[in-house]
mmCIF file of all heavy atoms in Angstrom:
data_model
loop_
_atom_site.group_PDB
_atom_site.id
_atom_site.type_symbol
_atom_site.label_atom_id
_atom_site.label_comp_id
_atom_site.label_asym_id
_atom_site.label_seq_id
_atom_site.Cartn_x
_atom_site.Cartn_y
_atom_site.Cartn_z
ATOM 1 N N CYS A 595 21.056 140.383 69.688
ATOM 2 C CA CYS A 595 22.144 139.406 69.777
ATOM 3 C C CYS A 595 22.780 139.148 68.421
ATOM 4 O O CYS A 595 22.207 139.437 67.383
ATOM 5 C CB CYS A 595 21.582 138.058 70.245
ATOM 6 S SG CYS A 595 21.197 137.988 71.989
ATOM 7 N N CYS A 599 24.690 133.714 69.370
ATOM 8 C CA CYS A 599 24.444 133.811 70.811
ATOM 9 C C CYS A 599 23.664 132.619 71.312
ATOM 10 O O CYS A 599 22.731 132.140 70.694
ATOM 11 C CB CYS A 599 23.693 135.082 71.162
ATOM 12 S SG CYS A 599 23.596 135.314 72.951
ATOM 13 N N CYS A 626 22.957 142.481 74.027
ATOM 14 C CA CYS A 626 23.025 141.347 74.951
ATOM 15 C C CYS A 626 24.379 141.356 75.660
ATOM 16 O O CYS A 626 25.404 141.635 75.064
ATOM 17 C CB CYS A 626 22.866 140.071 74.134
ATOM 18 S SG CYS A 626 23.304 138.564 74.984
ATOM 19 N N CYS A 629 26.694 138.027 74.224
ATOM 20 C CA CYS A 629 27.404 137.988 72.935
ATOM 21 C C CYS A 629 27.905 139.358 72.519
ATOM 22 O O CYS A 629 28.607 139.485 71.517
ATOM 23 C CB CYS A 629 26.512 137.388 71.861
ATOM 24 S SG CYS A 629 25.041 138.366 71.521
HETATM 25 ZN ZN1 ZN B 1626 23.271 137.466 72.923
#
Side-chain angles (χ1 to χ4, degrees):
C595 284
C599 188
C626 166
C629 64

